Amino acid sequence: MLKPNFIFKCITDISSEFLHNNNIKGLLLDVDNTMSVAHGNKTLRSGLAEWLSDMKENGIELIVLSNAKTVRARRFGDSVRLSVVGLAAKPLPFGYLKAVKALKLKRREVAIVGDQIFTDVLGGKLAGVKTLLVTDITREEAFSFRVRRKIEDFLLKRWKYER
Ligand SMILES: [Mg+2]
């Protein structure tokens, strides 16, 4: 229930060729630590703008799916010119289903790209979409985050994966 379908170091390592080969036509994109460099930081990962254009040119449908408040999520979406489902309450499946509907695709044709096993991946499983985990993160200070990251590290190790 927690193991992602695929694990990548960084979002920009996901190629359109890989998506075509796996019949993935649309992506639900997490913001913090996935498209941005850290939690609550709006700085984009290097190469992200080029990656987004490449995806669009190759016919991949994109939408932002974030637990951030709608205003912040939308501001981020505007900065990368993507539509947004904010206040998604991941890992609950409702936001995922809304985003899949907005892309006009089937659930099995869509994948979530996110950095958190207990929100992005778990929610993706509950919603019935494919799950792509990215592992290159900036570690958070907050205690609750530190605990979750420790558990994630443990799971990644079990799956024979290093951050
Ligand atoms: Mg995140």
Side-chain angles (χ1 to χ4, degrees):
M1 201 59 186
L2 290 171
K3 191 172 181 184
N5 295 114
F6 301 98
I7 301 176
F8 291 88
K9 189 96 188 153
C10 181
I11 185 170
T12 53
D13 295 333
I14 302 168
S15 71
S16 53
E17 192 185 5
F18 163 84
L19 297 175
H20 289 310
N21 290 341
N22 286 283
N23 199 32
I24 296 170
K25 298 176 178 165
L27 296 175
L28 317 179
L29 302 172
D30 173 53
V31 173
D32 291 324
N33 265 313
T34 299
M35 286 194 282
S36 80
V37 295
H39 187 78
N41 183 327
K42 57 184 193 295
T43 309
L44 301 183
R45 285 184 174 271
S46 86
L48 186 82
E50 294 80 0
W51 182 85
L52 290 170
S53 326
D54 179 65
M55 288 294 131
K56 287 180 191 167
E57 275 166 30
N58 282 285
I60 304 296
E61 304 286 342
L62 305 171
I63 189 165
V64 176
L65 181 67
S66 175
N67 279 359
K69 290 193 181 125
T70 310
V71 174
R72 181 164 91 85
R74 193 161 293 156
R75 199 173 296 147
F76 186 91
D78 287 347
S79 75
V80 290
R81 297 196 192 155
L82 292 176
S83 18
V84 167
V85 172
L87 215 60
K90 294 177 277 186
L92 295 179
F94 312 109
Y96 291 76
L97 300 179
K98 193 175 166 187
V100 169
K101 202 170 174 189
L103 296 184
K104 299 189 175 73
L105 291 170
K106 299 193 173 75
R107 285 183 287 173
R108 60 182 151 79
E109 298 171 323
V110 171
I112 173 78
V113 184
D115 65 293
Q116 289 197 62
I117 294 171
F118 294 97
T119 57
D120 303 303
V121 174
L122 177 59
K125 301 269 176 185
L126 293 172
V129 301
K130 294 191 172 93
T131 51
L132 312 184
L133 180 74
V134 291
T135 58
D136 181 28
I137 53 146
T138 304
R139 290 189 186 264
E140 298 81 359
E141 300 280 314
F143 178 73
S144 63
F145 253 115
R146 292 203 328 251
V147 172
R148 265 180 290 161
R149 293 301 189 191
K150 274 257 186 300
I151 304 170
E152 287 182 348
D153 289 346
F154 171 78
L155 289 171
L156 283 170
K157 212 167 203 173
R158 268 189 52 176
W159 300 331
K160 313 227 179 300
Y161 218 89
E162 298 277 333
R163 271 203 206 276

